[in-house]
Amino acid sequence: KCREKNTSWKILVYGHLNMNISNVFSLVIPGEHLRICPQEYTCCTSEMEDKLSQQSKLEFENLVEETSHFVRTTFVSRHKKFDEFFRELLENAEKSLNDMFVRTYGMLYMQNSEVFQDLFTELKRYYTGGNVNLEEMLNDFWARLLERMFQLINPQYHFTEDYLECVSKYTDQLKPFGDVPRKLKVQVTRAFIAARTFVQGLTVGREVANRVSKVSPTPGCIRALMKMLYCPYCRGLPTVKPCNNYCLNVMKGCLANQADLDTEWNLFIGKKSLNIRRRKCW
């Protein structure tokens, strides 16, 4: 029976596994030597069973990685596109502001441009995950700008650091820039918190998908896979396929650790989808 049904199959599969075809499926033999498959009359030697066990493990690992490929590449591509888009916005904003101030104030601005350069440096550092307090950073920017302008407007006087610090402390009361700092703080804080949260979420999703796709099957999982996939071959029944429920049960056992992430992952995906819809509405 083994010889009749498995001649073409053994050439295909065992040739791929680099096994000596002359030593396989030559006889139906007692199966007392088998460690995984039923110990009945069989077509498989111990070497064949070991090879098939490793093959089932390899096929399972490749299948999990292939199945998660779309999720992983999606997170990578979306992260790349959004990151490039937001960085480009920042670069354009900085360049436009610089060009406008150069045209308007000329050398006066250029001699003090580091105040604005430092602002954009800190904004970029916050976006990339740096330890930056947005509100404090923006307050410091307006305080520095006020001190610098106070000196430029009154060049005939020399002001000490203590005096300038005192002036900056009363920025809220004096309101030298009107309501612009408050409005800008609200807009910048909202935009940058949303952008950093979104890009970090994409990064987390990518890292989780990458880790989950690397499966290390347990010995119990490998035995279950072997029984389901290749033990029928050892009995001369290569065309027999596992039923759906049997396959699902084996997969649930082999992917038990990944299954624990199901609830949290669905919540994560739900939140990301909601954020995307909101961003489109804006």
Side-chain angles (χ1 to χ4, degrees):
K1 181 178 179 182
C2 289
R3 282 198 298 268
E4 291 172 358
K5 291 189 176 183
N6 292 318
T7 302
S8 61
W9 172 81
K10 70 181 180 183
I11 293 174
L12 175 64
V13 175
Y14 285 94
H16 174 69
L17 296 176
N18 297 319
M19 295 183 67
N20 185 353
I21 296 176
S22 62
N23 294 330
V24 301
F25 291 157
S26 56
L27 292 173
V28 178
I29 56 177
E32 290 86 354
H33 57 281
L34 299 180
R35 295 180 300 164
I36 300 176
C37 296
Q39 294 183 337
E40 303 170 356
Y41 281 97
T42 182
C43 309
C44 292
T45 62
S46 296
E47 180 191 7
M48 292 160 60
E49 188 184 42
D50 290 340
K51 288 277 188 178
L52 288 172
S53 178
Q54 290 303 311
Q55 180 67 13
S56 61
K57 174 179 179 291
L58 180 62
E59 288 179 2
F60 173 70
E61 291 172 340
N62 291 339
L63 180 61
V64 172
E65 187 163 357
E66 290 172 8
T67 303
S68 62
H69 177 74
F70 174 75
V71 175
R72 288 182 284 122
T73 54
T74 298
F75 274 104
V76 170
S77 63
R78 297 295 166 83
H79 177 275
K80 184 174 183 292
K81 287 181 180 179
F82 181 83
D83 185 58
E84 289 176 350
F85 167 75
F86 197 80
R87 287 176 185 271
E88 185 178 357
L89 285 181
L90 272 175
E91 295 294 337
N92 290 340
E94 184 175 10
K95 184 177 184 302
S96 298
L97 187 70
N98 183 75
D99 292 345
M100 181 185 69
F101 282 170
V102 168
R103 290 194 304 269
T104 305
Y105 301 107
M107 189 58 66
L108 187 64
Y109 163 74
M110 295 173 66
Q111 291 173 344
N112 299 276
S113 61
E114 77 277 2
V115 176
F116 295 90
Q117 292 171 358
D118 292 345
L119 170 65
F120 280 95
T121 297
E122 289 299 291
L123 288 174
K124 292 173 186 176
R125 194 161 73 88
Y126 173 83
Y127 168 70
T128 54
N131 184 22
V132 177
N133 185 304
L134 271 181
E135 185 173 354
E136 290 181 3
M137 183 268 292
L138 290 171
N139 289 338
D140 289 343
F141 164 74
W142 291 111
R144 286 183 64 195
L145 186 60
L146 175 60
E147 291 177 10
R148 195 66 60 93
M149 290 183 65
F150 192 78
Q151 290 175 298
L152 293 172
I153 294 172
N154 302 281
Q156 68 274 27
Y157 300 107
H158 173 72
F159 301 102
T160 65
E161 290 295 327
D162 291 339
Y163 188 91
L164 292 173
E165 185 179 350
C166 179
V167 170
S168 65
K169 285 181 180 180
Y170 289 93
T171 301
D172 292 338
Q173 291 89 332
L174 298 173
K175 291 189 176 180
F177 305 107
D179 203 31
V180 173
R182 185 190 65 80
K183 291 181 178 179
L184 190 63
K185 183 189 297 184
V186 171
Q187 294 172 350
V188 169
T189 301
R190 180 184 299 170
F192 274 81
I193 289 177
R196 186 166 95 156
T197 301
F198 186 69
V199 79
Q200 286 179 344
L202 291 175
T203 302
V204 170
R206 179 190 63 197
E207 292 175 352
V208 170
N210 283 334
R211 291 180 183 180
V212 170
S213 66
K214 306 299 182 183
V215 179
S216 298
T218 63
C221 170
I222 298 173
R223 289 178 63 86
L225 290 169
M226 172 63 184
K227 287 182 179 180
M228 179 178 70
L229 296 174
Y230 286 119
C231 281
Y233 286 65
C234 289
R235 302 182 67 185
L237 302 170
T239 59
V240 173
K241 304 296 181 183
C243 65
N244 185 60
N245 288 338
Y246 179 28
C247 183
L248 287 175
N249 286 335
V250 172
M251 291 299 105
K252 286 179 181 178
C254 288
L255 298 173
N257 291 333
Q258 284 75 7
D260 290 341
L261 296 172
D262 186 59
T263 301
E264 294 300 326
W265 180 258
N266 287 331
L267 289 172
F268 172 78
I269 294 297
K271 290 178 181 178
K272 293 299 111 183
S273 300
L274 180 60
N275 288 336
I276 291 172
R277 289 197 296 272
R278 286 175 175 171
R279 189 161 57 89
K280 288 181 178 178
C281 291
W282 293 342

